Amino acid sequence: VQLAESGGGWVQAGGSLRLSCAASGSIFNINVMTWYRRTPGIERKLVAAITGDGDTRYAESVKGRFTISRDNDKRILYLQMNNLQPEDTAVYYCAAGPGPTYWGQGTQVTVSS
């Protein structure tokens, strides 16, 4: 069971990035998939979540700017991030299952002002 994020990088404020998370095996049958982020010294915080039916939930700080989606056939979870701001700088993790149970290794997103 593996989750592998990609798509992180550096961008100027106001820019966009799309994160992807490739999931292996039957893990993608897990109902809820999520994106978290962590900045140094701060616990990982939920950014967005999506159920198997496509219902979504977002942290207040990213509502209207980030969009979570999933492609069940390709087993990929996405996070489209628009109008990025310096406070969005963090390591972003995808996760799956209750808890969550499974975690990716994380991808760094850096937004400069």
Side-chain angles (χ1 to χ4, degrees), residues 1 3 23 27-28 30 32-34 36 94-104:
V1 175
L3 298 172
I27 188 174
F28 217 72
I30 294 174
V32 179
M33 300 287 292
T34 51
Y36 282 75
C94 71
T101 307
Y102 305 104
W103 293 89

Side-chain angles (χ1 to χ4, degrees), residues 40-51:
I42 299 176
E43 190 175 333
R44 275 184 288 207
K45 292 187 176 181
L46 180 67
V47 175
I50 185 167
T51 69

Side-chain angles (χ1 to χ4, degrees), residues 3 13 15 21 26 33 55 93 103 108:
L3 298 172
C21 174
S26 62
M33 300 287 292
D55 293 330
Y93 299 86
W103 293 89
Q108 176 71 46

Side-chain angles (χ1 to χ4, degrees), residues 7-18:
W10 175 88
V11 65
Q12 287 188 319
S16 298
L17 286 173
R18 187 174 80 159

